[in-house]
Amino acid sequence: MAGGIWIVAVQQIPQWWGVLFKSAVIGGIFLAVGYSVTLIPLELKWDSSRIRITRLFSSTVIPLAEVRQVKKFPYASVESSIRTCGSGGMFGFLGHFKNEEVGRYVMYATELDNLVMVKTAGKTYVFSCVVREEFISDIREYLANEV
């Protein structure tokens, strides 16, 4: 008897609800993919005054005057992190994450082998850098010369 009631209830749902639901799901998927694409890092540059991560429509600029710490970020820290908003594999590891060790951080990583963490007074950034050792050495040298 209950099965018959269910069928009757389903038959009373207007057809446009199904179209609306499918459109909302497909739209949500496109929004999520679109958001992830805007976070993909295209280029990493640094000089004696700033670190610049260029993305598709914008850039993240970290003034060296604000940098408090720069170091390697181990893969184990990524594994113990929780993604709060972003992509955890599709197009890379992009968006906002948090873990107990580091706290909240923003990650722009297309691969997880050469991760670098840069801490400022207000934010923590993690990104991949193919020349990680050179990057860390340069930034530490710039910071030492500022003092």
Side-chain angles (χ1 to χ4, degrees):
M1 190 68 170
I5 293 172
W6 173 250
I7 291 172
V8 171
V10 169
Q11 289 175 348
Q12 292 176 356
I13 296 174
Q15 185 177 5
W16 61 271
W17 273 95
V19 172
L20 182 66
F21 178 75
K22 289 176 188 175
S23 298
V25 169
I26 291 170
I29 290 169
F30 277 114
L31 281 173
V33 169
Y35 174 70
S36 295
V37 167
T38 64
L39 294 176
I40 296 172
L42 302 174
E43 183 178 50
L44 171 66
K45 286 187 173 184
W46 65 92
D47 58 33
S48 60
S49 64
R50 67 185 179 171
I51 301 166
R52 181 183 182 102
I53 303 166
T54 305
R55 299 187 319 268
L56 188 60
F57 296 116
S58 64
S59 295
T60 298
V61 176
I62 308 167
L64 285 187
E66 296 178 10
V67 174
R68 302 290 177 253
Q69 182 183 29
V70 59
K71 67 177 190 173
K72 294 179 183 178
F73 193 76
Y75 179 75
S77 294
V78 176
E79 285 183 322
S80 65
S81 295
I82 297 170
R83 181 179 57 247
T84 57
C85 181
S87 173
M90 184 175 177
F91 307 120
F93 287 77
L94 314 164
H96 299 269
F97 294 76
K98 70 177 182 177
N99 74 21
E100 290 181 21
E101 215 177 294
V102 179
R104 295 181 180 276
Y105 63 93
V106 180
M107 184 184 281
Y108 303 109
T110 53
E111 51 92 16
L112 299 176
D113 292 333
N114 298 301
L115 295 177
V116 176
M117 180 182 74
V118 174
K119 272 192 172 195
T120 66
K123 266 188 164 177
T124 302
Y125 302 89
V126 174
F127 45 87
S128 51
C129 180
V130 177
V131 288
R132 175 171 67 179
E133 302 302 327
E134 178 185 344
F135 173 83
I136 291 172
S137 174
D138 285 354
I139 299 303
R140 286 181 177 166
E141 184 178 322
Y142 294 143
L143 294 176
N145 289 336
E146 269 189 26
V147 175

